[in-house]
């Protein structure tokens, strides 16, 4: 065996080792991406143990805000324009500048044509009592829902 054959053998082993190291890095990156996608698809619940890092424990739904319109309860007075106000249920994080640690639900009454609304509250009856008492303020443009 000549020295050239030995050099080729060692170059082959070096290339093989480099290929194995490269594949290991690719597999680790793919595994990390798959774990991140699984966290997005299956948000943590209250019975799931907390992760070590706080940002891994934040469910995706806490960063978004979802609103839906409900029928106001009986005894809610109509607005000054004669229309019934909208009872809006807000789920998620109402403040997009910060991450919430858990999803919240809040309610408020608003009349978009008149441009008035009540403050958000976790209970349905409080905004209705504020509406009937006349405790309202102008609608913020970012909160307009109808």
């Amino acid at each position: 065996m000549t020295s050239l054959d030995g050099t080729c053998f060692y170059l082959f082993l070096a290339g093989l080792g480099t290929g194995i190291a490269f594949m290991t890095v690719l597999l680790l990156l793919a595994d990390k991406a798959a774990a991140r996608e699984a966290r997005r698809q299956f948000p943590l619940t209250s019975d799931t143990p907390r992760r070590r890092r706080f940002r891994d424990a934040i469910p995706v739904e806490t960063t978004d805000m979802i609103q839906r319109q409900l029928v106001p309860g009986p005894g809610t007075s109509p607005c000054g324009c004669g229309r019934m106000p909208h009872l809006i249920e807000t789920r998620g994080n109402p403040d997009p500048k910060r991450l919430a640690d858990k999803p919240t639900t809040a309610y408020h009454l608003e009349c978009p044509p008149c441009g008035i609304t009540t403050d958000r509250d976790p209970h349905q009856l409080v905004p209705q009592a504020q509406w009937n008492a006349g405790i309202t303020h102008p609608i913020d443009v970012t909160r307009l829902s109808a």
Side-chain angles (χ1 to χ4, degrees):
M1 185 155 134
T2 65
S3 73
L4 185 61
D5 290 337
T7 305
C8 288
F9 179 71
Y10 290 120
L11 286 175
F12 171 75
L13 286 180
L16 186 64
T18 304
I20 291 172
F22 182 70
M23 290 302 294
T24 303
V25 169
L26 283 179
L27 288 174
L28 286 174
L29 291 175
D31 185 48
K32 194 171 188 177
R36 190 178 310 126
E37 184 64 28
R39 275 196 307 270
R40 277 193 204 117
Q41 291 179 358
F42 302 108
L44 296 176
T45 59
S46 60
D47 57 306
T48 306
R50 288 285 185 172
R51 307 258 188 229
R52 288 184 188 162
R53 293 182 300 181
F54 179 71
R55 66 182 174 87
D56 290 339
I58 299 173
V60 173
E61 65 192 25
T62 61
T63 60
D64 298 329
M65 184 176 73
I66 300 170
Q67 291 185 340
R68 69 179 183 146
Q69 183 177 339
L70 303 173
V71 177
T76 304
S77 61
C79 186
C81 65
R83 298 181 183 175
M84 284 301 289
H86 301 232
L87 177 62
I88 307 296
E89 177 187 47
T90 306
R91 289 185 180 181
N93 184 7
D95 187 5
K97 295 181 184 115
R98 67 179 187 85
L99 294 175
D101 55 349
K102 64 179 182 177
T104 59
T105 302
Y107 301 92
H108 71 278
L109 283 167
E110 66 181 32
C111 180
C114 293
I116 57 174
T117 184
T118 61
D119 290 326
R120 287 193 174 119
D121 196 84
H123 305 286
Q124 277 186 344
L125 297 177
V126 174
Q128 291 177 3
Q130 289 175 346
W131 183 268
N132 291 334
I135 305 171
T136 59
H137 53 83
I139 293 178
D140 185 10
V141 177
T142 60
R143 290 180 53 192
L144 190 61
S145 63

